[in-house]
Amino acid sequence: MPVRPLLTGEQADRARDAIRDIATALRDPDVYDADPDLREASLGRGGAGVALFFHELAKTSGDPADGQTAYAFLDAALERAAADPPTALLYSGTVGVGWALAYVEGVDADETEPDDVDELVLHALAGAPWPSADLIRGVAGTGVYLLERLPHPAARKGLSLLVDRLTEMAERQEQGTTWFVDPATVLEDRRVLFPEGYYDTGVAHGQAGVIGVLARMVAAGVDEARPLLADATRWLLAQRLPDDGNGRYPLMVDKRPVPTRGGRLAWCYGDAGVAAALLAAGQALGDKEIVDEATSLALLSAGRGREDAGASDVPLCHGSAGLMHVFNRLWQSTGEEALADAARRWFDFAMKQRRDGDPVAGFGSVRVKDDGGVDFEPLGGFLEGAAGIGLALLAATEDRDPDWDAVLLTRPPESSA
């Protein structure tokens, strides 16, 4: 199905104005005083994510200066990553910088020797302990990198190792396969809520993210991932709650026998992200019932208002721009116009949330303070700041696939075999 621009007319004009403001802000040295994380290497908060924004902007603008800016940020990220201790994490570690390099430069089909990041990932998958299975801080993030490195032989080897590692870490229940979250591996506030541990269903830190990676592995011809994908999807479907307007799938499933409930709506957690993961699973498995459930869930989510969605700010991770992008992608995949309408509503809300006159083009994240109040933190990075918002706006105004969102697992599964 060809990609259609989500935003047209006045909405598209407002989006392009915001994109220009973001680009101007991210070129301003003073912005790095407002958000010093931009000096770091990482994909999630640092220079690699900013490089991604300028790389995509160059495709739209045709301006060589945008491409040069992308490479300047990427070169700085690579230099910093080389000086930092290597880690195999996607959003905060060396692997994310390697993913950005592979995405921007592509993979040489004739290349056979693994590079340094390949070696790091293969070593980590072969034996290093992992705190979790998830996308952001766990082993599933390596799958996003390895899929971008296909058809390199090291990527094929690594994807097979990833299936083995996820299988070893899995917990098998009557309802299917899942991954337990040990309370010792999470922050104190989460330990207080779940002292005996829990099962996470979200894209960022849970089941939906693992399913999203496995679905793309199956589509890429990693056949050994198919049984694990099917059983993990079965477990997630078994967690479905009665439709009560507050979310069809729980955010977490407590290890204790207590009632579960739905909650917020976002990419990282909630039904919108779960719908995208289920759609990818249904497509990869060729299972119409799963595709139908994903579509139904997406439409249910599209009907929820901003009051109960919990989107108090704009970023990709947990905000209105992330919801705009998820619904845009779901619309492109299903053709359901109600999903496009929802995406446009979230765009309008994102523009209203923008803080004129603040650093980084008025974008960033709201932080809850210890006393219950809130602070606004101007951020420029990919996951929680202006670079990611700019990428979502670019995707909403163009008629080409935003392939960069492979890192969010919203890019539809495609065969790479």
Side-chain angles (χ1 to χ4, degrees):
M1 182 181 296
V3 173
R4 295 172 283 170
L6 172 73
L7 304 178
T8 57
E10 184 269 341
Q11 282 188 319
D13 290 341
R14 282 193 289 150
R16 294 187 182 106
D17 286 344
I19 292 165
R20 283 192 291 271
D21 289 346
I22 289 169
T24 298
L26 290 173
R27 287 190 171 101
D28 182 353
D30 290 341
V31 161
Y32 298 82
D33 295 328
D35 181 10
D37 285 339
L38 289 172
R39 304 180 193 276
E40 301 299 321
S42 74
L43 176 64
R45 295 177 67 97
V50 179
L52 191 59
F53 166 71
F54 280 105
H55 177 69
E56 294 302 301
L57 181 61
K59 294 179 184 178
T60 298
S61 70
D63 187 344
D66 291 327
Q68 291 164 5
T69 302
Y71 271 101
F73 274 102
L74 185 57
D75 288 345
L78 290 166
E79 183 177 347
R80 181 57 187 262
D84 291 339
T87 65
L89 301 179
L90 178 63
Y91 275 90
S92 61
T94 314
V95 165
V97 182
W99 178 88
L101 179 64
Y103 176 77
V104 170
E105 295 199 335
V107 178
D108 183 351
D110 296 327
E111 183 185 3
T112 58
E113 294 300 315
D115 67 16
D116 290 344
V117 182
D118 294 339
E119 294 279 14
L120 171 66
V121 170
L122 292 175
H123 175 75
L125 289 173
W130 286 87
S132 72
D134 73 50
L135 177 70
I136 295 284
R137 63 187 184 93
V139 70
T142 65
V144 175
Y145 168 78
L146 292 166
L147 286 165
E148 200 65 42
R149 287 285 288 159
L150 287 173
H152 194 285
R156 286 287 176 190
K157 178 180 179 181
L159 290 168
S160 293
L161 288 171
L162 177 56
V163 174
D164 293 341
R165 180 49 62 94
L166 284 171
T167 301
E168 292 169 4
M169 297 172 70
E171 180 177 314
R172 287 154 190 83
Q173 301 178 355
E174 184 177 347
Q175 295 175 322
T177 295
T178 188
W179 288 268
F180 174 63
V181 180
D182 188 328
T185 67
V186 299
L187 296 176
E188 176 64 25
D189 59 346
R190 192 65 60 82
R191 285 199 296 274
V192 170
L193 291 173
F194 302 100
E196 297 181 23
Y198 60 98
Y199 305 94
D200 193 307
T201 65
V203 174
H205 294 294
Q207 191 91 1
V210 179
I211 286 171
V213 171
L214 288 169
R216 286 154 181 84
M217 290 168 62
V218 170
V222 185
D223 292 336
E224 58 265 46
R226 182 177 292 271
L228 193 57
L229 170 61
D231 221 34
T233 304
R234 184 167 66 88
W235 184 92
L236 183 56
L237 291 170
Q239 309 314 308
R240 176 174 168 162
L241 302 169
D243 288 342
D244 61 1
N246 193 37
R248 182 179 288 178
Y249 287 85
L251 305 186
M252 289 95 174
V253 178
D254 204 320
K255 186 77 169 178
R256 300 165 296 179
V258 296
T260 56
R261 61 185 299 276
R264 69 171 303 156
L265 196 65
W267 166 77
C268 56
Y269 280 103
D271 285 351
V274 170
L278 288 176
L279 183 62
Q283 291 169 338
L285 294 170
D287 190 316
K288 184 177 182 300
E289 288 187 6
I290 298 175
V291 170
D292 288 346
E293 169 63 9
T295 304
S296 169
L297 180 61
L299 291 169
L300 181 70
S301 300
R304 290 179 64 180
R306 67 190 190 196
E307 294 79 10
D308 70 336
S312 60
D313 48 9
V314 189
L316 285 180
C317 179
H318 51 265
S320 49
L323 284 168
M324 177 190 71
H325 186 70
V326 172
F327 283 121
N328 183 15
R329 273 304 208 175
L330 289 167
W331 167 55
Q332 303 286 354
S333 294
T334 66
E336 295 283 353
E337 290 299 323
L339 302 177
D341 292 341
R344 295 183 188 109
R345 288 197 303 273
W346 283 109
F347 164 76
D348 285 334
F349 188 39
M351 293 300 98
K352 290 177 182 176
Q353 290 173 299
R354 186 180 179 187
R355 301 166 67 103
D356 291 338
D358 277 15
V360 204
F363 293 114
S365 283
V366 170
R367 301 292 189 214
V368 179
K369 298 188 293 185
D370 291 340
D371 62 5
V374 296
D375 274 338
F376 177 79
E377 186 177 4
L379 297 173
F382 172 77
L383 197 58
E384 296 186 274
I389 294 164
L391 284 162
L393 293 172
L394 281 167
T397 54
E398 296 297 317
D399 60 357
R400 58 180 173 81
D401 259 327
D403 290 338
W404 59 266
D405 70 343
V407 77
L408 293 176
L409 302 176
T410 48
R411 186 165 85 184
E414 295 178 357
S415 174
S416 302

